[in-house]
């Protein structure tokens, strides 16, 4: 087994390698003066089962090109099998045509990864499950739920917890987590009655006196989470936490969350934490390195990955 790390999230790659007891394969991923990506693999990989770990987080296009070029380098070096391990798949929100003359970029990126030479893909909490069908190669979509559930069980009294979906589209994900901890489910229904008017948030479910947990796959600007937390507290919730897999946290999201009524935002390390995230008063990071490491180990041994979530 050979594990290669791109530049997007070196700490996660090192943690995965440590879990597996396998050193990271020596390779150079650097830039020419005009920022063109250059990759050189410094170890023999002929006939090896290889895993390229790279999230397509900010800067998304740079990290995507790094991954594609690393995959191409491995293919030309005669690696036996190449698995693209993408803890965060960046273009997943563009999974359909929202209007005329718009792209389906998730499918384009899937094509690029396949054509570059990947034999399979391993990712975590895809924004839309059907993206697995965009790939013409085997794709494993891992779920961060076991890691988040373990943290919830360690930190909270489950007798008074209510799981909340921040929008109608995330109900399936929230329901799955609620089932794991045997908690009731509520839904935030947000709507804008007229153009130019602020959103009205209605809460479906009785949250009064409950410790609410907002569950979602991605937090980007943080606006929806902050507004949902405010709406829940107005309806009598005792406190509100959020458990989110991918902490994109672009722009002023960290400042927005730090100033919000959220008691705590828990994210995974699928995306490397910025300094602002590390010092934020109410943001905490839990690691999915053991989860991905175990999935890599099972893939290499041709064992079941789905049984991780039974």
């Amino acid at each position: 087994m050979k594990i290669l790390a791109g530049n997007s999230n070196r700490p996660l790659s090192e943690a995965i390698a440590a879990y597996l007891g396998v050193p990271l394969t020596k390779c150079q991923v650097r830039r020419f003066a005009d920022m063109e990506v250059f990759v050189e693999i410094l170890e023999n990989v002929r006939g090896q089962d290889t895993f390229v770990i790279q999230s397509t987080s900010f800067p998304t296009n740079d990290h995507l090109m790094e991954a594609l070029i690393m995959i191409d380098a491995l293919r030309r070096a005669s690696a036996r099998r190449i698995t693209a391990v993408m803890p965060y798949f960046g273009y997943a929100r563009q999974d359909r045509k929202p209007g005329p003359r718009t792209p389906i970029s998730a499918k384009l990126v899937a094509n690029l990864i396949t054509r570059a030479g990947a034999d399979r893909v391993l990712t975590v909490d895809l924004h839309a499950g059907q993206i697995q069908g965009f790939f013409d190669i085997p794709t494993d979509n891992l779920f961060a739920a076991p890691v988040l559930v373990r943290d919830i069980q360690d930190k909270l009294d489950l007798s008074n917890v209510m799981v909340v979906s921040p929008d109608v589209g995330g109900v399936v994900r929230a329901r799955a987590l609620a089932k794991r901890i045997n908690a009731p489910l509520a839904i935030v229904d947000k709507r804008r009655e007229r153009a130019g008017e602020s959103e009205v948030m209605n809460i479906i479910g009785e949250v009064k006196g409950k410790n609410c947990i907002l569950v979602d796959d991605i937090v980007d600007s943080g606006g929806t989470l902050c507004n949902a937390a405010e709406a829940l507290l107005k309806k009598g919730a005792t406190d509100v936490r959020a458990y989110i897999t991918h902490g994109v946290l672009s722009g002023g999201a960290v400042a927005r969350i730090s100033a919000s009524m959220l008691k705590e935002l828990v994210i995974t390390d699928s995306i490397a934490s910025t300094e602002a995230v590390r010092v934020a008063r109410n943001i905490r990071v839990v690691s999915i390195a053991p989860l991905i490491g175990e999935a890599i180990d099972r893939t290499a041994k041709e064992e079941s990955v789905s049984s991780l979530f039974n």
Side-chain angles (χ1 to χ4, degrees), residues 163 165 167-179 185 187 215:
V163 174
S165 174
D167 53 42
V168 174
V171 170
V172 173
R173 184 179 296 105
R175 185 188 293 124
L177 190 137
K179 188 176 178 182
L185 177 69
I187 302 164
V215 176

Side-chain angles (χ1 to χ4, degrees), residues 249 254 257-258 264-267 276-277 280-285:
L249 298 172
V254 174
I257 287 164
S258 295
E264 187 178 43
L265 167 63
V266 180
I267 55 176
V277 169
R281 68 169 184 87
N282 60 346
I283 301 178
R284 184 162 55 86
V285 180

Side-chain angles (χ1 to χ4, degrees), residues 50-82:
T50 57
F51 297 83
V52 176
I53 303 173
Q54 179 82 323
S55 285
T56 51
S57 51
F58 177 84
T60 304
N61 298 332
D62 284 4
H63 289 151
L64 176 59
M65 279 305 298
E66 273 187 21
L68 296 174
I69 293 171
M70 290 175 78
I71 291 167
D72 184 71
L74 287 170
R75 180 170 62 89
R76 295 176 189 279
S78 301
R80 178 174 61 85
R81 181 172 66 177
I82 304 164

Side-chain angles (χ1 to χ4, degrees), residues 166-272:
D167 53 42
V168 174
V171 170
V172 173
R173 184 179 296 105
R175 185 188 293 124
L177 190 137
K179 188 176 178 182
R180 282 177 176 267
I181 62 174
N182 195 28
L185 177 69
I187 302 164
V188 177
D189 174 36
K190 57 180 182 179
R191 63 186 70 186
R192 185 175 280 110
E193 299 297 339
R194 296 181 191 83
E197 289 190 3
S198 60
E199 283 182 334
V200 176
M201 291 205 166
N202 300 309
I203 310 298
I204 303 171
E206 182 52 61
V207 299
K208 189 173 182 178
K210 295 287 188 180
N211 297 318
C212 292
I213 299 175
L214 288 159
V215 176
D216 212 345
D217 62 325
I218 296 172
V219 53
D220 190 349
S221 67
T224 297
L225 277 189
C226 295
N227 292 340
E230 187 176 346
L232 288 165
L233 290 167
K234 282 181 179 177
K235 289 289 185 179
T238 303
D239 57 46
V240 183
R241 292 172 170 83
Y243 277 77
I244 314 291
T245 305
H246 306 298
V248 176
L249 298 172
S250 57
V254 174
R256 189 176 295 114
I257 287 164
S258 295
S260 75
M261 296 181 178
L262 271 174
K263 185 166 186 178
E264 187 178 43
L265 167 63
V266 180
I267 55 176
T268 75
D269 55 355
S270 64
I271 296 172

